[in-house]
PDB file of all heavy atoms in Angstrom:
ATOM      1  N   ALA A  62      45.568  20.312 -52.254  1.00 97.00           N
ATOM      2  CA  ALA A  62      45.855  18.893 -52.031  1.00 97.00           C
ATOM      3  C   ALA A  62      46.680  18.429 -53.143  1.00 97.00           C
ATOM      4  O   ALA A  62      46.525  18.818 -54.240  1.00 97.00           O
ATOM      5  CB  ALA A  62      44.489  18.112 -51.889  1.00 97.00           C
ATOM      6  N   LEU A  63      47.552  17.515 -52.741  1.00 97.00           N
ATOM      7  CA  LEU A  63      48.503  16.778 -53.743  1.00 97.00           C
ATOM      8  C   LEU A  63      47.778  15.456 -53.989  1.00 97.00           C
ATOM      9  O   LEU A  63      47.745  14.513 -53.142  1.00 97.00           O
ATOM     10  CB  LEU A  63      49.800  16.562 -53.084  1.00 97.00           C
ATOM     11  CG  LEU A  63      50.974  16.360 -53.986  1.00 97.00           C
ATOM     12  CD1 LEU A  63      51.053  17.553 -55.032  1.00 97.00           C
ATOM     13  CD2 LEU A  63      52.311  16.407 -53.209  1.00 97.00           C
ATOM     14  N   LEU A  64      47.205  15.275 -55.296  1.00 97.00           N
ATOM     15  CA  LEU A  64      46.371  14.094 -55.572  1.00 97.00           C
ATOM     16  C   LEU A  64      46.910  13.422 -56.865  1.00 97.00           C
ATOM     17  O   LEU A  64      47.521  13.985 -57.758  1.00 97.00           O
ATOM     18  CB  LEU A  64      44.983  14.564 -55.862  1.00 97.00           C
ATOM     19  CG  LEU A  64      44.208  15.190 -54.701  1.00 97.00           C
ATOM     20  CD1 LEU A  64      42.767  15.559 -55.192  1.00 97.00           C
ATOM     21  CD2 LEU A  64      44.206  14.317 -53.413  1.00 97.00           C
ATOM     22  N   LEU A  65      46.574  12.150 -56.891  1.00 97.00           N
ATOM     23  CA  LEU A  65      46.735  11.341 -58.093  1.00 97.00           C
ATOM     24  C   LEU A  65      45.345  11.074 -58.616  1.00 97.00           C
ATOM     25  O   LEU A  65      44.543  10.565 -57.870  1.00 97.00           O
ATOM     26  CB  LEU A  65      47.515  10.023 -57.777  1.00 97.00           C
ATOM     27  CG  LEU A  65      47.627   9.132 -58.967  1.00 97.00           C
ATOM     28  CD1 LEU A  65      48.754   9.613 -59.839  1.00 97.00           C
ATOM     29  CD2 LEU A  65      48.090   7.705 -58.534  1.00 97.00           C
ATOM     30  N   VAL A  66      45.110  11.447 -59.837  1.00 97.00           N
ATOM     31  CA  VAL A  66      43.774  11.248 -60.409  1.00 97.00           C
ATOM     32  C   VAL A  66      43.877  10.273 -61.557  1.00 97.00           C
ATOM     33  O   VAL A  66      44.742  10.459 -62.467  1.00 97.00           O
ATOM     34  CB  VAL A  66      43.193  12.632 -60.883  1.00 97.00           C
ATOM     35  CG1 VAL A  66      41.835  12.416 -61.546  1.00 97.00           C
ATOM     36  CG2 VAL A  66      43.101  13.633 -59.729  1.00 97.00           C
ATOM     37  N   ARG A  67      42.941   9.320 -61.660  1.00 97.00           N
ATOM     38  CA  ARG A  67      42.875   8.406 -62.692  1.00 97.00           C
ATOM     39  C   ARG A  67      41.560   8.587 -63.395  1.00 97.00           C
ATOM     40  O   ARG A  67      40.530   8.803 -62.707  1.00 97.00           O
ATOM     41  CB  ARG A  67      43.058   7.026 -62.124  1.00 97.00           C
ATOM     42  CG  ARG A  67      43.144   5.931 -63.259  1.00 97.00           C
ATOM     43  CD  ARG A  67      43.535   4.645 -62.691  1.00 97.00           C
ATOM     44  NE  ARG A  67      43.495   3.698 -63.744  1.00 97.00           N
ATOM     45  CZ  ARG A  67      43.737   2.406 -63.614  1.00 97.00           C
ATOM     46  NH1 ARG A  67      44.043   1.930 -62.413  1.00 97.00           N
ATOM     47  NH2 ARG A  67      43.706   1.588 -64.638  1.00 97.00           N
ATOM     48  N   GLY A  68      41.479   8.514 -64.691  1.00 97.00           N
ATOM     49  CA  GLY A  68      40.159   8.621 -65.366  1.00 97.00           C
ATOM     50  C   GLY A  68      40.355   8.705 -66.862  1.00 97.00           C
ATOM     51  O   GLY A  68      41.316   8.199 -67.378  1.00 97.00           O
ATOM     52  N   LYS A  69      39.392   9.267 -67.457  1.00 96.00           N
ATOM     53  CA  LYS A  69      39.251   9.385 -68.916  1.00 96.00           C
ATOM     54  C   LYS A  69      39.619  10.749 -69.336  1.00 96.00           C
ATOM     55  O   LYS A  69      39.071  11.716 -68.780  1.00 96.00           O
ATOM     56  CB  LYS A  69      37.791   8.978 -69.250  1.00 96.00           C
ATOM     57  CG  LYS A  69      37.619   8.871 -70.777  1.00 96.00           C
ATOM     58  CD  LYS A  69      36.209   8.218 -71.042  1.00 96.00           C
ATOM     59  CE  LYS A  69      35.132   9.165 -70.427  1.00 96.00           C
ATOM     60  NZ  LYS A  69      33.793   8.755 -70.871  1.00 96.00           N
ATOM     61  N   TYR A  70      40.493  10.810 -70.320  1.00 93.00           N
ATOM     62  CA  TYR A  70      40.881  12.187 -70.871  1.00 93.00           C
ATOM     63  C   TYR A  70      40.059  12.430 -72.165  1.00 93.00           C
ATOM     64  O   TYR A  70      40.095  11.632 -73.046  1.00 93.00           O
ATOM     65  CB  TYR A  70      42.366  12.191 -71.159  1.00 93.00           C
ATOM     66  CG  TYR A  70      42.888  13.510 -71.676  1.00 93.00           C
ATOM     67  CD1 TYR A  70      43.071  14.542 -70.787  1.00 93.00           C
ATOM     68  CD2 TYR A  70      43.206  13.646 -72.961  1.00 93.00           C
ATOM     69  CE1 TYR A  70      43.523  15.790 -71.250  1.00 93.00           C
ATOM     70  CE2 TYR A  70      43.713  14.869 -73.453  1.00 93.00           C
ATOM     71  CZ  TYR A  70      43.915  15.924 -72.520  1.00 93.00           C
ATOM     72  OH  TYR A  70      44.367  17.110 -73.014  1.00 93.00           O
ATOM     73  N   GLU A  71      39.382  13.604 -72.099  1.00 91.00           N
ATOM     74  CA  GLU A  71      38.539  13.842 -73.305  1.00 91.00           C
ATOM     75  C   GLU A  71      38.993  15.203 -73.870  1.00 91.00           C
ATOM     76  O   GLU A  71      39.178  16.232 -73.160  1.00 91.00           O
ATOM     77  CB  GLU A  71      37.058  14.057 -72.836  1.00 91.00           C
ATOM     78  CG  GLU A  71      36.485  12.745 -72.243  1.00 91.00           C
ATOM     79  CD  GLU A  71      35.015  12.955 -71.842  1.00 91.00           C
ATOM     80  OE1 GLU A  71      34.566  14.080 -71.818  1.00 91.00           O
ATOM     81  OE2 GLU A  71      34.345  11.936 -71.645  1.00 91.00           O
ATOM     82  N   ARG A  72      39.266  15.153 -75.212  1.00 88.00           N
ATOM     83  CA  ARG A  72      39.705  16.382 -75.821  1.00 88.00           C
ATOM     84  C   ARG A  72      38.964  16.633 -77.154  1.00 88.00           C
ATOM     85  O   ARG A  72      38.672  15.752 -77.866  1.00 88.00           O
ATOM     86  CB  ARG A  72      41.288  16.129 -76.139  1.00 88.00           C
ATOM     87  CG  ARG A  72      41.889  17.474 -76.682  1.00 88.00           C
ATOM     88  CD  ARG A  72      43.321  17.157 -77.089  1.00 88.00           C
ATOM     89  NE  ARG A  72      43.845  18.285 -77.733  1.00 88.00           N
ATOM     90  CZ  ARG A  72      44.633  19.243 -77.094  1.00 88.00           C
ATOM     91  NH1 ARG A  72      44.848  19.156 -75.794  1.00 88.00           N
ATOM     92  NH2 ARG A  72      45.044  20.284 -77.691  1.00 88.00           N
ATOM     93  N   ASP A  73      38.661  17.883 -77.324  1.00 82.00           N
ATOM     94  CA  ASP A  73      38.134  18.301 -78.655  1.00 82.00           C
ATOM     95  C   ASP A  73      38.775  19.612 -79.109  1.00 82.00           C
ATOM     96  O   ASP A  73      39.801  20.012 -78.488  1.00 82.00           O
ATOM     97  CB  ASP A  73      36.610  18.485 -78.570  1.00 82.00           C
ATOM     98  CG  ASP A  73      36.052  19.467 -77.641  1.00 82.00           C
ATOM     99  OD1 ASP A  73      36.805  20.483 -77.360  1.00 82.00           O
ATOM    100  OD2 ASP A  73      35.036  19.263 -77.094  1.00 82.00           O
ATOM    101  N   GLU A  74      38.275  20.267 -80.108  1.00 84.00           N
ATOM    102  CA  GLU A  74      38.954  21.444 -80.576  1.00 84.00           C
ATOM    103  C   GLU A  74      39.132  22.603 -79.508  1.00 84.00           C
ATOM    104  O   GLU A  74      40.135  23.179 -79.377  1.00 84.00           O
ATOM    105  CB  GLU A  74      38.216  22.028 -81.780  1.00 84.00           C
ATOM    106  CG  GLU A  74      38.292  21.279 -83.069  1.00 84.00           C
ATOM    107  CD  GLU A  74      37.427  20.008 -83.032  1.00 84.00           C
ATOM    108  OE1 GLU A  74      36.350  20.017 -82.370  1.00 84.00           O
ATOM    109  OE2 GLU A  74      37.760  18.980 -83.588  1.00 84.00           O
TER     110      GLU A  74
END
Side-chain angles (χ1 to χ4, degrees):
L63 203 53
L64 298 181
L65 180 71
V66 179
R67 186 172 175 181
K69 186 170 60 167
Y70 182 75
E71 296 179 349
R72 186 183 175 97
D73 59 32
E74 290 74 33

